Amino acid sequence: MSNRLGASGWATRLLATGLAAAVVVAVAAGGAVLAGQGDSPPDDPLAIPEYQPENVSVDYVGAEGEISPDNDVTTGSGTVVIDDGHGNRFDRSTIEPLVRGLTRVGYTVEFYRSGDLADALDDAKAFVIIDPAREYRQGDVDDVRQFTGQGGRLLIAGEPNRVSVSASLFGTSIQRQDSALTTLGSAYGVSIGTAYLSNQESADANYKFIRTQPTDAAELGGVEETTMYTAGAVRMRGGETLLRTAPGTLESSTDDERGRHAVAVRRNDVVVTGDKTFMQEDRFRVADNEVFLTYLVEFLASSERDPDRSISSESEEEDENGTPDGNVTTATSAYTGDVD
Amino acid sequence: MVGLAIAPVAFQTTESDGTVAVIPLSGGITGGTSSSVGSMLEQARENPDIDAVVIVANSGGGSAAASEELYLQAKRTAQEMPVVASVDASAASGAYYTIAPSDVIYAKPASLVGSVGVLANAPQSVEPNEFIGTTGSNKLSGFDDRGFYYLLENLGNSFYNAVETQRGDRLELSRGELAQAKIYSGTQAVENGMADRIGGRQAAVTAAAEEAGLENYEVRTLRPRGETVFLSRNNYLAADAPNGQMVSSDYFMNTDDNSPTFLMLPASYLGNDGEAVEPTTSVNATRTTTPPATTAEVRP
């Protein structure tokens, strides 16, 4: 391993210096990083192949496109309620593309901020929960369960744990932020990892901004690749993986748990994502994010909720699907989203 | 008379075959460091009496641009004569970048080696505003958010490429492992190929002389001109450079300016007064001071 040259070794090294370019090319051919010599002649002592743009630049992930939901897929009109009553951390830029897609297909958007959640969902077709700061009380969980039991669609966009830096006239403070989805998530057999996923090789520039791909079974309307920005792994009992990370993705809390992690999972009328940032104004066009967001708009706007339907029917359906039915990540695991 | 006759012969037999120049790389790497250490490397190349160079590193890194310049200077020197590095308290980030072209890297068990990567304060979204007019949408911030990370990754790739090129097959870390920017002890560094051998300065000097084929040699320690500043107290205590002066992270961060400062040093060095603090977020905490009561998310 050491590079012991010695006196004769140094002479050898001097002789080898002139061949350095050839060595570099050979290394590149062997799959190493450096691919060329740039414009420098091969024996130029000032050559810096390691700095040449072709060896340094990062392939840019394109960002273009628009949400284009199909009116034939959606149910015409209805109301989508966005939860804003549990300290949810989002702003207009987070939801604007989603709202734009929903209004295109004739849906209206309302916010739930306080009061009886069941009343707020009474006339709704779909419910969107983004990164709540406070856990759902049991009554709220029951209301949401009843809602989806009646065919209402539910989209949950969670996040891994983060650190928030707040600045004010009185100084700065650092707070830890968790997506408070334990009680609601457990009711649906879903959890979102607290550690962010990272991949140094398959990323939108930064290791925390990972590229994700649909599974073969997922029908996402032509999504080839999406990006997520500091996402948590999604694990769901009996769900179907919609999007998963590239191989070799690391869950940051572990040293060696590399693999493909689910970051978007669906089971029946519930979709859960491990990131909210992919849908925000300055990210939703990156890669095929807009196509995936179109899928989510169509998912929400194709609800066939029947308020007269009882929750028991969903329970029966869940029992039937409580086994790994639809689990495309691993055939034997009870959880969709186990590392593949 | 006999003694007088023999004496010149004896002098001849102990005469030096050449010189090993010792170049200290101490304290935070700034433009001044780049200039002074770079000039010493240049002097070593140009002085026919100097046959080999030992870089004694005791630095946690510093400015990205200055570190790149030192890398190029060290690389150029290593193309002309043996260069051996000795890691004293630390050769982290930009300091490791500098010694990467060395033929042999010595480290002590308690030396800190690694932190291969770049950090910078993220640009704040400050446009449009009603106070400053600009001709372009990125004139104030310099980047959009994604553009900033692409630029940062380019700097990182240059660093990774340099380390991989210089260490070659000796490096047993994958690109992904290298880019995690971990700091290793000297022992760990020898195990994973970031360094070559356990040893101190004397071992490095001896190795450099051997590389140059010198049996009898002089050791000449070159000194940087001007004042040396230190970001890390540990480095300060271990260094022997004169005029050592402690500086806070503001020295590098240029907090009066909103533009990003690209640094090659471990984030733990960025506490105030040079004291180590754990989270990187402290960097951003000092930068996220634009409008009162705003909140910026910094994910761990």
Side-chain angles (χ1 to χ4, degrees), chain A residues 1 3 5 13 33-34 45 50-51 55-56 61 162-163 167 196 204-205 229 258 283, chain B residues 71 75 79 97 103 145-146 150 153 157 161 165 170 175 190 211 288 293 298-300:
Chain A
M1 186 171 65
N3 184 30
L5 293 173
R13 190 180 190 280
V33 177
L34 304 184
E50 61 270 40
Y51 282 179
N55 297 324
V56 168
V61 180
R162 292 137 292 157
V163 173
Y196 68 84
D204 180 22
Y229 298 85
R258 293 180 183 273
R283 292 290 189 276
Chain B
Y71 164 73
K75 180 184 175 185
Q79 288 171 333
Y97 205 163
D103 299 301
D145 195 37
R146 288 184 72 216
Y150 272 85
E153 202 65 16
N157 282 342
N161 287 353
T165 300
R170 291 174 289 176
R175 167 63 67 103
V190 170
E211 303 281 356
T288 315
V298 179
R299 282 116 177 223

mmCIF file of all heavy atoms in Angstrom, chain A residues 1 3 5 13 33-34 45 50-51 55-56 61 162-163 167 196 204-205 229 258 283, chain B residues 71 75 79 97 103 145-146 150 153 157 161 165 170 175 190 211 288 293 298-300:
data_model
loop_
_atom_site.group_PDB
_atom_site.id
_atom_site.type_symbol
_atom_site.label_atom_id
_atom_site.label_comp_id
_atom_site.label_asym_id
_atom_site.label_seq_id
_atom_site.Cartn_x
_atom_site.Cartn_y
_atom_site.Cartn_z
ATOM 1 N N MET A 1 0.820 -1.195 0.000
ATOM 2 C CA MET A 1 0.000 0.000 0.000
ATOM 3 C C MET A 1 0.866 1.262 0.000
ATOM 4 O O MET A 1 0.550 2.258 -0.594
ATOM 5 C CB MET A 1 -0.921 0.004 1.210
ATOM 6 C CG MET A 1 -1.911 1.134 1.207
ATOM 7 S SD MET A 1 -3.120 0.945 2.513
ATOM 8 C CE MET A 1 -2.096 1.115 3.954
ATOM 9 N N ASN A 3 4.044 3.758 -0.699
ATOM 10 C CA ASN A 3 4.693 4.101 -1.948
ATOM 11 C C ASN A 3 6.185 4.253 -1.719
ATOM 12 O O ASN A 3 6.742 5.319 -1.895
ATOM 13 C CB ASN A 3 4.090 5.398 -2.504
ATOM 14 C CG ASN A 3 4.666 5.737 -3.847
ATOM 15 O OD1 ASN A 3 5.050 4.865 -4.600
ATOM 16 N ND2 ASN A 3 4.699 7.031 -4.149
ATOM 17 N N LEU A 5 9.670 4.438 -2.493
ATOM 18 C CA LEU A 5 10.371 4.603 -3.755
ATOM 19 C C LEU A 5 11.857 4.302 -3.631
ATOM 20 O O LEU A 5 12.435 3.644 -4.476
ATOM 21 C CB LEU A 5 10.190 6.031 -4.274
ATOM 22 C CG LEU A 5 8.756 6.379 -4.699
ATOM 23 C CD1 LEU A 5 8.666 7.855 -5.024
ATOM 24 C CD2 LEU A 5 8.347 5.549 -5.905
ATOM 25 N N ARG A 13 10.702 6.658 -10.937
ATOM 26 C CA ARG A 13 9.600 7.609 -11.013
ATOM 27 C C ARG A 13 9.878 8.701 -12.040
ATOM 28 O O ARG A 13 8.999 9.128 -12.781
ATOM 29 C CB ARG A 13 9.370 8.241 -9.644
ATOM 30 C CG ARG A 13 8.120 9.058 -9.570
ATOM 31 C CD ARG A 13 7.949 9.646 -8.184
ATOM 32 N NE ARG A 13 6.631 10.237 -8.038
ATOM 33 C CZ ARG A 13 6.303 11.418 -8.497
ATOM 34 N NH1 ARG A 13 7.180 12.134 -9.159
ATOM 35 N NH2 ARG A 13 5.084 11.899 -8.336
ATOM 36 N N VAL A 33 -12.024 8.252 -12.435
ATOM 37 C CA VAL A 33 -12.710 9.510 -12.668
ATOM 38 C C VAL A 33 -12.205 10.248 -13.887
ATOM 39 O O VAL A 33 -12.983 10.754 -14.680
ATOM 40 C CB VAL A 33 -12.552 10.416 -11.429
ATOM 41 C CG1 VAL A 33 -13.193 11.756 -11.677
ATOM 42 C CG2 VAL A 33 -13.187 9.730 -10.242
ATOM 43 N N LEU A 34 -10.907 10.289 -14.031
ATOM 44 C CA LEU A 34 -10.372 11.153 -15.055
ATOM 45 C C LEU A 34 -10.576 10.540 -16.430
ATOM 46 O O LEU A 34 -10.244 9.395 -16.680
ATOM 47 C CB LEU A 34 -8.891 11.393 -14.796
ATOM 48 C CG LEU A 34 -8.606 11.972 -13.414
ATOM 49 C CD1 LEU A 34 -7.146 12.275 -13.262
ATOM 50 C CD2 LEU A 34 -9.440 13.210 -13.169
ATOM 51 N N PRO A 45 4.477 19.081 -18.270
ATOM 52 C CA PRO A 45 4.562 18.958 -16.810
ATOM 53 C C PRO A 45 3.525 19.809 -16.090
ATOM 54 O O PRO A 45 3.261 19.589 -14.908
ATOM 55 C CB PRO A 45 5.993 19.425 -16.501
ATOM 56 C CG PRO A 45 6.386 20.262 -17.662
ATOM 57 C CD PRO A 45 5.691 19.682 -18.854
ATOM 58 N N GLU A 50 -6.695 16.420 -13.802
ATOM 59 C CA GLU A 50 -7.691 16.299 -12.732
ATOM 60 C C GLU A 50 -8.574 17.532 -12.612
ATOM 61 O O GLU A 50 -9.599 17.499 -11.941
ATOM 62 C CB GLU A 50 -7.008 16.011 -11.392
ATOM 63 C CG GLU A 50 -6.033 17.066 -10.884
ATOM 64 C CD GLU A 50 -4.605 16.821 -11.357
ATOM 65 O OE1 GLU A 50 -4.441 16.437 -12.522
ATOM 66 O OE2 GLU A 50 -3.668 17.057 -10.571
ATOM 67 N N TYR A 51 -8.160 18.627 -13.240
ATOM 68 C CA TYR A 51 -8.945 19.859 -13.178
ATOM 69 C C TYR A 51 -9.700 20.149 -14.475
ATOM 70 O O TYR A 51 -10.413 21.151 -14.552
ATOM 71 C CB TYR A 51 -8.034 21.055 -12.889
ATOM 72 C CG TYR A 51 -7.614 21.209 -11.437
ATOM 73 C CD1 TYR A 51 -6.773 22.250 -11.054
ATOM 74 C CD2 TYR A 51 -8.054 20.340 -10.454
ATOM 75 C CE1 TYR A 51 -6.375 22.409 -9.735
ATOM 76 C CE2 TYR A 51 -7.661 20.480 -9.140
ATOM 77 C CZ TYR A 51 -6.814 21.526 -8.786
ATOM 78 O OH TYR A 51 -6.421 21.680 -7.483
ATOM 79 N N ASN A 55 -13.630 16.474 -16.554
ATOM 80 C CA ASN A 55 -13.437 15.569 -15.421
ATOM 81 C C ASN A 55 -14.018 16.107 -14.126
ATOM 82 O O ASN A 55 -13.993 15.420 -13.098
ATOM 83 C CB ASN A 55 -11.940 15.306 -15.218
ATOM 84 C CG ASN A 55 -11.314 14.618 -16.402
ATOM 85 O OD1 ASN A 55 -11.953 13.783 -17.037
ATOM 86 N ND2 ASN A 55 -10.089 14.980 -16.728
ATOM 87 N N VAL A 56 -14.477 17.333 -14.184
ATOM 88 C CA VAL A 56 -14.930 17.985 -12.956
ATOM 89 C C VAL A 56 -16.422 18.306 -12.990
ATOM 90 O O VAL A 56 -17.123 18.167 -11.986
ATOM 91 C CB VAL A 56 -14.124 19.282 -12.735
ATOM 92 C CG1 VAL A 56 -14.749 20.129 -11.638
ATOM 93 C CG2 VAL A 56 -12.669 18.963 -12.395
ATOM 94 N N VAL A 61 -29.030 18.198 -14.262
ATOM 95 C CA VAL A 61 -30.351 17.583 -14.396
ATOM 96 C C VAL A 61 -31.308 18.663 -14.888
ATOM 97 O O VAL A 61 -31.495 19.681 -14.215
ATOM 98 C CB VAL A 61 -30.833 17.007 -13.046
ATOM 99 C CG1 VAL A 61 -32.210 16.373 -13.215
ATOM 100 C CG2 VAL A 61 -29.833 15.997 -12.516
ATOM 101 N N ARG A 162 -34.819 17.252 10.767
ATOM 102 C CA ARG A 162 -33.971 18.358 10.300
ATOM 103 C C ARG A 162 -33.586 19.246 11.472
ATOM 104 O O ARG A 162 -34.139 19.133 12.547
ATOM 105 C CB ARG A 162 -34.727 19.236 9.284
ATOM 106 C CG ARG A 162 -35.020 18.597 7.968
ATOM 107 C CD ARG A 162 -36.430 18.899 7.527
ATOM 108 N NE ARG A 162 -37.392 18.234 8.391
ATOM 109 C CZ ARG A 162 -38.637 18.621 8.549
ATOM 110 N NH1 ARG A 162 -39.090 19.674 7.926
ATOM 111 N NH2 ARG A 162 -39.453 17.964 9.355
ATOM 112 N N VAL A 163 -32.675 20.149 11.183
ATOM 113 C CA VAL A 163 -32.303 21.170 12.162
ATOM 114 C C VAL A 163 -32.680 22.513 11.570
ATOM 115 O O VAL A 163 -32.338 22.826 10.433
ATOM 116 C CB VAL A 163 -30.800 21.135 12.468
ATOM 117 C CG1 VAL A 163 -30.411 22.316 13.346
ATOM 118 C CG2 VAL A 163 -30.426 19.837 13.150
ATOM 119 N N ALA A 167 -33.229 32.979 12.941
ATOM 120 C CA ALA A 167 -32.489 34.214 13.230
ATOM 121 C C ALA A 167 -33.479 35.325 13.536
ATOM 122 O O ALA A 167 -34.507 35.451 12.883
ATOM 123 C CB ALA A 167 -31.626 34.594 12.035
ATOM 124 N N TYR A 196 -31.925 11.190 6.869
ATOM 125 C CA TYR A 196 -32.035 11.514 5.443
ATOM 126 C C TYR A 196 -31.260 10.506 4.599
ATOM 127 O O TYR A 196 -30.307 9.878 5.054
ATOM 128 C CB TYR A 196 -31.545 12.935 5.165
ATOM 129 C CG TYR A 196 -30.067 13.158 5.359
ATOM 130 C CD1 TYR A 196 -29.145 12.864 4.357
ATOM 131 C CD2 TYR A 196 -29.576 13.695 6.543
ATOM 132 C CE1 TYR A 196 -27.792 13.069 4.537
ATOM 133 C CE2 TYR A 196 -28.222 13.902 6.739
ATOM 134 C CZ TYR A 196 -27.342 13.588 5.736
ATOM 135 O OH TYR A 196 -25.998 13.781 5.909
ATOM 136 N N ASP A 204 -28.794 15.168 -7.673
ATOM 137 C CA ASP A 204 -28.915 16.453 -8.343
ATOM 138 C C ASP A 204 -27.864 17.371 -7.701
ATOM 139 O O ASP A 204 -28.177 18.221 -6.884
ATOM 140 C CB ASP A 204 -30.332 17.003 -8.149
ATOM 141 C CG ASP A 204 -30.516 18.352 -8.844
ATOM 142 O OD1 ASP A 204 -29.760 18.650 -9.772
ATOM 143 O OD2 ASP A 204 -31.437 19.102 -8.441
ATOM 144 N N ALA A 205 -26.639 17.144 -8.067
ATOM 145 C CA ALA A 205 -25.460 17.878 -7.582
ATOM 146 C C ALA A 205 -25.058 17.472 -6.166
ATOM 147 O O ALA A 205 -23.937 17.032 -5.940
ATOM 148 C CB ALA A 205 -25.632 19.388 -7.669
ATOM 149 N N TYR A 229 -35.282 16.007 -2.280
ATOM 150 C CA TYR A 229 -34.326 16.901 -1.640
ATOM 151 C C TYR A 229 -34.329 16.706 -0.124
ATOM 152 O O TYR A 229 -35.138 17.268 0.577
ATOM 153 C CB TYR A 229 -34.646 18.340 -2.037
ATOM 154 C CG TYR A 229 -34.513 18.503 -3.528
ATOM 155 C CD1 TYR A 229 -35.575 18.189 -4.383
ATOM 156 C CD2 TYR A 229 -33.305 18.876 -4.093
ATOM 157 C CE1 TYR A 229 -35.434 18.285 -5.757
ATOM 158 C CE2 TYR A 229 -33.150 18.974 -5.461
ATOM 159 C CZ TYR A 229 -34.219 18.672 -6.289
ATOM 160 O OH TYR A 229 -34.072 18.748 -7.649
ATOM 161 N N ARG A 258 -26.629 0.403 2.687
ATOM 162 C CA ARG A 258 -26.781 0.960 1.346
ATOM 163 C C ARG A 258 -27.704 0.069 0.528
ATOM 164 O O ARG A 258 -27.682 -1.142 0.647
ATOM 165 C CB ARG A 258 -25.422 1.042 0.648
ATOM 166 C CG ARG A 258 -24.492 2.044 1.286
ATOM 167 C CD ARG A 258 -23.167 2.089 0.572
ATOM 168 N NE ARG A 258 -22.254 3.002 1.238
ATOM 169 C CZ ARG A 258 -22.190 4.309 0.983
ATOM 170 N NH1 ARG A 258 -22.991 4.837 0.069
ATOM 171 N NH2 ARG A 258 -21.356 5.087 1.619
ATOM 172 N N ARG A 283 -38.463 23.390 -7.713
ATOM 173 C CA ARG A 283 -37.961 22.027 -7.854
ATOM 174 C C ARG A 283 -38.898 21.115 -8.666
ATOM 175 O O ARG A 283 -38.463 20.060 -9.106
ATOM 176 C CB ARG A 283 -37.774 21.382 -6.469
ATOM 177 C CG ARG A 283 -36.673 21.985 -5.638
ATOM 178 C CD ARG A 283 -35.304 21.663 -6.208
ATOM 179 N NE ARG A 283 -34.241 22.060 -5.308
ATOM 180 C CZ ARG A 283 -33.733 23.276 -5.228
ATOM 181 N NH1 ARG A 283 -34.221 24.240 -6.028
ATOM 182 N NH2 ARG A 283 -32.744 23.560 -4.400
ATOM 183 N N TYR B 71 -1.718 23.105 -3.856
ATOM 184 C CA TYR B 71 -1.682 21.764 -4.469
ATOM 185 C C TYR B 71 -0.874 21.797 -5.761
ATOM 186 O O TYR B 71 -0.009 20.932 -6.002
ATOM 187 C CB TYR B 71 -3.110 21.282 -4.745
ATOM 188 C CG TYR B 71 -3.165 20.105 -5.696
ATOM 189 C CD1 TYR B 71 -2.770 18.837 -5.298
ATOM 190 C CD2 TYR B 71 -3.607 20.272 -7.020
ATOM 191 C CE1 TYR B 71 -2.807 17.764 -6.173
ATOM 192 C CE2 TYR B 71 -3.651 19.209 -7.899
ATOM 193 C CZ TYR B 71 -3.252 17.950 -7.475
ATOM 194 O OH TYR B 71 -3.280 16.890 -8.342
ATOM 195 N N LYS B 75 2.502 19.833 -6.423
ATOM 196 C CA LYS B 75 2.535 18.863 -7.517
ATOM 197 C C LYS B 75 3.712 19.150 -8.442
ATOM 198 O O LYS B 75 4.441 18.249 -8.861
ATOM 199 C CB LYS B 75 1.213 18.927 -8.292
ATOM 200 C CG LYS B 75 1.140 17.956 -9.458
ATOM 201 C CD LYS B 75 -0.144 18.115 -10.243
ATOM 202 C CE LYS B 75 -0.117 17.199 -11.476
ATOM 203 N NZ LYS B 75 -1.306 17.409 -12.318
ATOM 204 N N GLN B 79 7.178 16.838 -9.170
ATOM 205 C CA GLN B 79 7.590 16.383 -10.501
ATOM 206 C C GLN B 79 9.090 16.583 -10.713
ATOM 207 O O GLN B 79 9.670 16.010 -11.630
ATOM 208 C CB GLN B 79 6.799 17.139 -11.575
ATOM 209 C CG GLN B 79 5.338 16.702 -11.660
ATOM 210 C CD GLN B 79 4.517 17.606 -12.562
ATOM 211 O OE1 GLN B 79 4.839 18.781 -12.740
ATOM 212 N NE2 GLN B 79 3.462 17.068 -13.126
ATOM 213 N N TYR B 97 -5.030 18.471 0.871
ATOM 214 C CA TYR B 97 -4.973 18.787 -0.563
ATOM 215 C C TYR B 97 -3.532 19.162 -0.945
ATOM 216 O O TYR B 97 -2.982 18.704 -1.955
ATOM 217 C CB TYR B 97 -5.903 19.965 -0.808
ATOM 218 C CG TYR B 97 -6.473 20.134 -2.190
ATOM 219 C CD1 TYR B 97 -7.581 20.966 -2.388
ATOM 220 C CD2 TYR B 97 -5.940 19.501 -3.307
ATOM 221 C CE1 TYR B 97 -8.143 21.153 -3.632
ATOM 222 C CE2 TYR B 97 -6.493 19.678 -4.567
ATOM 223 C CZ TYR B 97 -7.599 20.515 -4.725
ATOM 224 O OH TYR B 97 -8.144 20.696 -5.956
ATOM 225 N N ASP B 103 5.317 12.133 -2.409
ATOM 226 C CA ASP B 103 5.639 10.743 -2.728
ATOM 227 C C ASP B 103 5.314 9.830 -1.554
ATOM 228 O O ASP B 103 4.884 8.694 -1.745
ATOM 229 C CB ASP B 103 7.124 10.633 -3.071
ATOM 230 C CG ASP B 103 7.467 11.485 -4.277
ATOM 231 O OD1 ASP B 103 6.884 11.244 -5.337
ATOM 232 O OD2 ASP B 103 8.298 12.403 -4.136
ATOM 233 N N ASP B 145 -30.324 28.535 -6.055
ATOM 234 C CA ASP B 145 -30.007 27.517 -5.056
ATOM 235 C C ASP B 145 -29.361 26.288 -5.673
ATOM 236 O O ASP B 145 -28.339 25.786 -5.179
ATOM 237 C CB ASP B 145 -31.294 27.115 -4.323
ATOM 238 C CG ASP B 145 -30.992 26.359 -3.047
ATOM 239 O OD1 ASP B 145 -30.016 26.716 -2.378
ATOM 240 O OD2 ASP B 145 -31.716 25.407 -2.743
ATOM 241 N N ARG B 146 -29.924 25.802 -6.764
ATOM 242 C CA ARG B 146 -29.345 24.616 -7.401
ATOM 243 C C ARG B 146 -27.982 24.936 -7.997
ATOM 244 O O ARG B 146 -27.062 24.127 -7.934
ATOM 245 C CB ARG B 146 -30.273 24.092 -8.493
ATOM 246 C CG ARG B 146 -31.528 23.416 -7.967
ATOM 247 C CD ARG B 146 -32.337 22.842 -9.112
ATOM 248 N NE ARG B 146 -31.750 21.680 -9.708
ATOM 249 C CZ ARG B 146 -31.807 21.390 -11.013
ATOM 250 N NH1 ARG B 146 -32.414 22.211 -11.848
ATOM 251 N NH2 ARG B 146 -31.258 20.290 -11.481
ATOM 252 N N TYR B 150 -24.325 22.981 -7.599
ATOM 253 C CA TYR B 150 -23.552 22.483 -8.733
ATOM 254 C C TYR B 150 -22.131 23.040 -8.689
ATOM 255 O O TYR B 150 -21.157 22.337 -8.958
ATOM 256 C CB TYR B 150 -24.248 22.843 -10.056
ATOM 257 C CG TYR B 150 -25.251 21.791 -10.484
ATOM 258 C CD1 TYR B 150 -26.548 21.813 -10.001
ATOM 259 C CD2 TYR B 150 -24.886 20.757 -11.335
ATOM 260 C CE1 TYR B 150 -27.464 20.835 -10.359
ATOM 261 C CE2 TYR B 150 -25.787 19.775 -11.702
ATOM 262 C CZ TYR B 150 -27.080 19.820 -11.221
ATOM 263 O OH TYR B 150 -27.973 18.838 -11.566
ATOM 264 N N GLU B 153 -20.213 21.289 -5.982
ATOM 265 C CA GLU B 153 -19.843 19.929 -6.385
ATOM 266 C C GLU B 153 -18.658 19.946 -7.347
ATOM 267 O O GLU B 153 -17.805 19.053 -7.314
ATOM 268 C CB GLU B 153 -21.047 19.233 -7.016
ATOM 269 C CG GLU B 153 -20.975 17.719 -7.005
ATOM 270 C CD GLU B 153 -20.999 17.125 -5.607
ATOM 271 O OE1 GLU B 153 -21.372 17.830 -4.654
ATOM 272 O OE2 GLU B 153 -20.622 15.945 -5.468
ATOM 273 N N ASN B 157 -15.322 17.904 -6.806
ATOM 274 C CA ASN B 157 -14.794 16.947 -7.786
ATOM 275 C C ASN B 157 -13.323 17.223 -8.095
ATOM 276 O O ASN B 157 -12.535 16.286 -8.270
ATOM 277 C CB ASN B 157 -15.618 16.998 -9.072
ATOM 278 C CG ASN B 157 -16.929 16.241 -8.926
ATOM 279 O OD1 ASN B 157 -17.085 15.431 -8.018
ATOM 280 N ND2 ASN B 157 -17.865 16.505 -9.803
ATOM 281 N N ASN B 161 -10.664 14.384 -7.462
ATOM 282 C CA ASN B 161 -9.811 13.961 -8.577
ATOM 283 C C ASN B 161 -8.335 14.070 -8.203
ATOM 284 O O ASN B 161 -7.533 13.191 -8.511
ATOM 285 C CB ASN B 161 -10.066 14.838 -9.803
ATOM 286 C CG ASN B 161 -11.397 14.528 -10.479
ATOM 287 O OD1 ASN B 161 -12.066 13.573 -10.111
ATOM 288 N ND2 ASN B 161 -11.767 15.335 -11.453
ATOM 289 N N THR B 165 -5.914 10.973 -8.053
ATOM 290 C CA THR B 165 -4.798 10.939 -8.996
ATOM 291 C C THR B 165 -3.471 10.782 -8.269
ATOM 292 O O THR B 165 -2.618 9.978 -8.657
ATOM 293 C CB THR B 165 -4.762 12.240 -9.823
ATOM 294 O OG1 THR B 165 -5.988 12.348 -10.539
ATOM 295 C CG2 THR B 165 -3.602 12.239 -10.804
ATOM 296 N N ARG B 170 -2.814 3.383 -3.972
ATOM 297 C CA ARG B 170 -2.609 3.337 -2.521
ATOM 298 C C ARG B 170 -3.902 3.656 -1.769
ATOM 299 O O ARG B 170 -4.117 3.202 -0.659
ATOM 300 C CB ARG B 170 -1.527 4.345 -2.112
ATOM 301 C CG ARG B 170 -0.138 3.971 -2.573
ATOM 302 C CD ARG B 170 0.861 5.070 -2.256
ATOM 303 N NE ARG B 170 0.667 6.242 -3.110
ATOM 304 C CZ ARG B 170 1.358 7.372 -2.991
ATOM 305 N NH1 ARG B 170 2.266 7.471 -2.049
ATOM 306 N NH2 ARG B 170 1.140 8.379 -3.815
ATOM 307 N N ARG B 175 -14.726 6.575 -4.179
ATOM 308 C CA ARG B 175 -15.072 7.993 -4.330
ATOM 309 C C ARG B 175 -16.135 8.405 -3.304
ATOM 310 O O ARG B 175 -16.045 9.467 -2.693
ATOM 311 C CB ARG B 175 -15.563 8.240 -5.768
ATOM 312 C CG ARG B 175 -16.242 9.593 -6.006
ATOM 313 C CD ARG B 175 -15.328 10.761 -5.785
ATOM 314 N NE ARG B 175 -14.257 10.848 -6.754
ATOM 315 C CZ ARG B 175 -14.236 11.706 -7.772
ATOM 316 N NH1 ARG B 175 -15.225 12.560 -7.933
ATOM 317 N NH2 ARG B 175 -13.220 11.731 -8.603
ATOM 318 N N VAL B 190 -3.217 5.524 7.498
ATOM 319 C CA VAL B 190 -2.278 4.569 6.895
ATOM 320 C C VAL B 190 -3.031 3.311 6.442
ATOM 321 O O VAL B 190 -2.752 2.730 5.397
ATOM 322 C CB VAL B 190 -1.150 4.218 7.887
ATOM 323 C CG1 VAL B 190 -0.323 3.045 7.371
ATOM 324 C CG2 VAL B 190 -0.264 5.434 8.111
ATOM 325 N N GLU B 211 15.062 9.121 -0.817
ATOM 326 C CA GLU B 211 14.430 9.263 -2.140
ATOM 327 C C GLU B 211 15.363 10.010 -3.094
ATOM 328 O O GLU B 211 15.413 9.711 -4.287
ATOM 329 C CB GLU B 211 13.113 10.042 -2.028
ATOM 330 C CG GLU B 211 12.098 9.455 -1.072
ATOM 331 C CD GLU B 211 11.361 8.284 -1.667
ATOM 332 O OE1 GLU B 211 11.591 7.987 -2.855
ATOM 333 O OE2 GLU B 211 10.575 7.651 -0.950
ATOM 334 N N THR B 288 -27.387 33.471 8.480
ATOM 335 C CA THR B 288 -28.821 33.632 8.285
ATOM 336 C C THR B 288 -29.319 34.776 9.134
ATOM 337 O O THR B 288 -30.038 34.598 10.086
ATOM 338 C CB THR B 288 -29.552 32.338 8.654
ATOM 339 O OG1 THR B 288 -28.835 31.267 8.078
ATOM 340 C CG2 THR B 288 -30.969 32.338 8.125
ATOM 341 N N ALA B 293 -36.461 37.354 12.336
ATOM 342 C CA ALA B 293 -37.488 36.349 12.548
ATOM 343 C C ALA B 293 -37.711 35.428 11.355
ATOM 344 O O ALA B 293 -38.712 34.767 11.265
ATOM 345 C CB ALA B 293 -38.809 36.996 12.936
ATOM 346 N N VAL B 298 -31.902 23.970 7.878
ATOM 347 C CA VAL B 298 -30.606 23.385 7.575
ATOM 348 C C VAL B 298 -30.675 21.952 8.031
ATOM 349 O O VAL B 298 -30.771 21.667 9.211
ATOM 350 C CB VAL B 298 -29.470 24.115 8.297
ATOM 351 C CG1 VAL B 298 -28.146 23.464 7.967
ATOM 352 C CG2 VAL B 298 -29.465 25.575 7.893
ATOM 353 N N ARG B 299 -30.689 21.044 7.073
ATOM 354 C CA ARG B 299 -30.866 19.648 7.444
ATOM 355 C C ARG B 299 -29.541 19.034 7.836
ATOM 356 O O ARG B 299 -28.529 19.354 7.250
ATOM 357 C CB ARG B 299 -31.463 18.883 6.259
ATOM 358 C CG ARG B 299 -32.950 19.135 6.112
ATOM 359 C CD ARG B 299 -33.269 19.835 4.819
ATOM 360 N NE ARG B 299 -34.716 19.988 4.676
ATOM 361 C CZ ARG B 299 -35.347 19.760 3.536
ATOM 362 N NH1 ARG B 299 -34.694 19.373 2.474
ATOM 363 N NH2 ARG B 299 -36.635 19.938 3.448
ATOM 364 N N PRO B 300 -29.562 18.178 8.835
ATOM 365 C CA PRO B 300 -28.313 17.589 9.290
ATOM 366 C C PRO B 300 -27.748 16.638 8.245
ATOM 367 O O PRO B 300 -28.503 16.084 7.469
ATOM 368 C CB PRO B 300 -28.702 16.833 10.555
ATOM 369 C CG PRO B 300 -30.154 16.537 10.375
ATOM 370 C CD PRO B 300 -30.716 17.675 9.581
#
